[in-house]
Amino acid sequence: MRDLGTGFGYLLKGQRWVFGHGRWFGFGLIPGLITLVLYVGALIGLAYGADDFVAWATPFADDWSEAWLAVFRGFLVFLVFALGLLLAVVTFTAVTLLIGQPFYEELSEQVDKSVSPDGTAPESGLPLVRELWISARDSLRIVVRVAAWAVLLFALGFIPVLGQTVVPAIGFCVTGFFLTQELTSVALQRRRVDLRKQLAMLRSRRLLVWGFGVPLVVSFLVPFVAVFLMPGAVAGATLMARDLTGEGGQDTREDPATVRLTVQDPDAR
């Protein structure tokens, strides 16, 4: 259970880091704002076009009585928009990371440098185009996995009691896991860790991942919050990536507690 608190601690440390480095906070907001504008436009279009889509998809119901037709198609319109909203929440991070790859790469590097004893950050050595291709390819693979989980959980949601209690909890854990994967991938790709190994790392520390990802998912449900938390989420995920790769124990460059311990008690080791 300790890993749950550690994961949440990385989320808080990331937010503190960006607020303590205001320039990088503003820099990290740009991709989220661009994605937000795109998604708002898409959801508005979906809201206006859902009626026509449902009517086109259900021609067999044209001859139903007006009351039953209104209830049936009204439910389907709600379902289409709800699924679109769920997809938007799930893919927001992936799209933001894709748009903001150069921004978040730079932000993640700065976090690495600030906690590394020698002030350096790992570099992939790959061209930017190659990095964008890998990011887009891996994001698509994750979206497919998330979509499969979404369909399964939606179907299980119709089970009485379990569908209203256990299934939503599982949904938050699944979404939190994949959200964390997307965020840590920024730092892990620079370390040349491929998607398969990333997933293996995260599965081996599920409580750590859930402690970081689930609170973030819950906060992302509040409109516009995702935009302002993304820079700190990338920073916190970078710190978590260092932990996952065994570098976390070296993060003492900006650790005042470690400095005080060294000064007050040289023999504490």
Side-chain angles (χ1 to χ4, degrees):
M1 296 298 290
R2 181 182 178 184
D3 264 356
L4 279 174
T6 304
F8 185 64
Y10 281 129
L11 181 59
L12 296 181
K13 287 178 182 178
Q15 301 303 325
R16 284 201 299 268
W17 192 94
V18 293
F19 280 111
H21 301 75
R23 170 174 170 266
W24 291 105
F25 175 66
F27 184 77
L29 284 178
I30 297 173
L33 291 172
I34 295 172
T35 308
L36 179 64
V37 170
L38 294 176
Y39 270 58
V40 168
L43 288 173
I44 291 175
L46 180 62
Y48 278 102
D51 284 338
D52 293 335
F53 173 76
V54 168
W56 170 81
T58 57
F60 57 86
D62 289 342
D63 297 330
W64 291 11
S65 66
E66 190 171 327
W68 280 109
L69 182 63
V71 171
F72 175 67
R73 286 184 171 168
F75 172 74
L76 289 181
V77 168
F78 169 78
L79 190 61
V80 167
F81 188 79
L83 288 174
L85 188 60
L86 174 63
L87 189 61
V89 171
V90 169
T91 61
F92 182 89
T93 302
V95 175
T96 302
L97 287 173
L98 182 60
I99 293 175
Q101 182 75 12
F103 295 87
Y104 293 141
E105 281 284 350
E106 188 69 23
L107 173 59
S108 179
E109 284 185 20
Q110 291 301 317
V111 175
D112 263 326
K113 290 177 181 179
S114 72
V115 297
S116 175
D118 57 5
T120 62
E123 296 181 3
S124 68
L126 298 174
L128 177 59
V129 174
R130 177 65 177 167
E131 289 184 346
L132 290 173
W133 162 247
I134 293 174
S135 178
R137 181 196 63 193
D138 290 351
S139 293
L140 180 59
R141 290 174 176 173
I142 293 300
V143 168
V144 170
R145 285 177 167 85
V146 171
W149 272 100
V151 171
L152 175 61
L153 293 174
F154 179 76
L156 294 176
F158 289 99
I159 300 176
V161 183
L162 290 178
Q164 292 73 50
T165 54
V166 176
V167 173
I170 294 175
F172 277 111
C173 290
V174 170
T175 307
F177 179 90
F178 287 114
L179 178 60
T180 303
Q181 186 282 323
E182 288 284 355
L183 291 167
T184 54
S185 68
V186 177
L188 292 176
Q189 282 179 14
R190 281 192 293 105
R191 291 163 168 80
R192 304 295 289 271
V193 180
D194 62 29
L195 180 60
R196 181 179 58 82
K197 291 180 181 178
Q198 290 178 29
L199 292 173
M201 283 181 175
L202 296 176
R203 290 190 190 108
S204 70
R205 303 284 299 278
R206 281 189 175 90
L207 291 179
L208 178 73
V209 172
W210 289 335
F212 182 91
V214 173
L216 197 58
V217 170
V218 174
S219 64
F220 277 14
L221 295 177
V222 181
F224 308 116
V225 167
V227 174
F228 295 98
L229 291 185
M230 273 297 289
V234 172
T238 300
L239 298 175
M240 181 185 291
R242 295 178 65 85
D243 186 347
L244 292 169
T245 56
E247 302 169 61
Q250 302 174 14
D251 299 345
T252 58
R253 188 169 175 235
E254 287 192 349
D255 189 350
T258 303
V259 174
R260 286 197 300 273
L261 179 63
T262 304
V263 172
Q264 294 174 3
D265 188 0
D267 300 322
R269 301 181 191 179

